[in-house]
Amino acid sequence: MHETDMTKALLMTVTDWWESQPERPEVSKVHLVVGRFTCVEPVSLQFAYEVQTRGTFLENTELVIRETPLIAFCHSCEQEYSPEIGLQYACPDCKAPMDDIRSGRELKIDRIEYCTDSEQTYAPNR
């Protein structure tokens, strides 16, 4: 389950950010963007996050995952298409192999929602 290791890396990143803040804010949500082609299971990632945040400053936070679809571009046909993961990656029209992935490999923190002095703020990924 590589979701466990990914969650550890995520928590280290969020913790480093949190510890660098002059006033340690109360985090409410961590937003992730996860591409379908990363082979990360959102349910497993949610479970790992819940287990690994127990007893930490992130214990009652929500992990929000936005999945992005796998989208490829065929240079022969000059069109985008959505391959079926695990089944067919070639262009559906000309059968050229998939060589240009436009979306679906993302795995990043999109933003962190937190409160300081009763104001809700967002820390965008930079």
Side-chain angles (χ1 to χ4, degrees):
M1 178 192 280
H2 61 283
E3 285 84 355
T4 299
D5 291 333
M6 289 180 187
T7 303
K8 286 179 185 177
L10 164 67
L11 296 179
M12 286 175 45
T13 302
V14 173
T15 300
D16 287 347
W17 166 82
W18 185 74
E19 289 176 345
S20 73
Q21 301 304 301
E23 296 176 25
R24 303 268 165 88
E26 182 181 332
V27 176
S28 58
K29 295 180 184 180
V30 176
H31 293 260
L32 296 183
V33 176
V34 178
R36 299 266 342 261
F37 202 52
T38 60
C39 298
V40 171
E41 290 294 327
V43 172
S44 297
L45 199 58
Q46 288 279 3
F47 177 76
Y49 183 86
E50 182 181 316
V51 169
Q52 292 181 38
T53 57
R54 288 182 189 150
T56 73
F57 73 99
L58 295 170
E59 183 170 18
N60 295 314
T61 61
E62 180 182 352
L63 180 64
V64 180
I65 299 172
R66 179 172 55 91
E67 285 188 274
T68 57
L70 174 58
I71 298 174
F73 183 79
C74 178
H75 290 279
S76 299
C77 297
E78 296 186 2
Q79 68 177 358
E80 287 186 342
Y81 65 98
S82 296
E84 293 182 51
I85 295 176
L87 298 176
Q88 177 67 294
Y89 295 110
C91 173
D93 292 334
C94 73
K95 308 299 183 223
M98 179 176 67
D99 64 354
D100 188 354
I101 298 173
R102 298 285 171 98
S103 171
R105 293 189 293 191
E106 302 82 3
L107 183 56
K108 65 179 183 174
I109 298 172
D110 186 40
R111 67 184 184 278
I112 299 169
E113 289 185 39
Y114 62 94
C115 295
T116 57
D117 299 331
S118 301
E119 288 187 32
Q120 186 139 0
T121 312
Y122 302 96
N125 185 23
R126 295 175 198 233

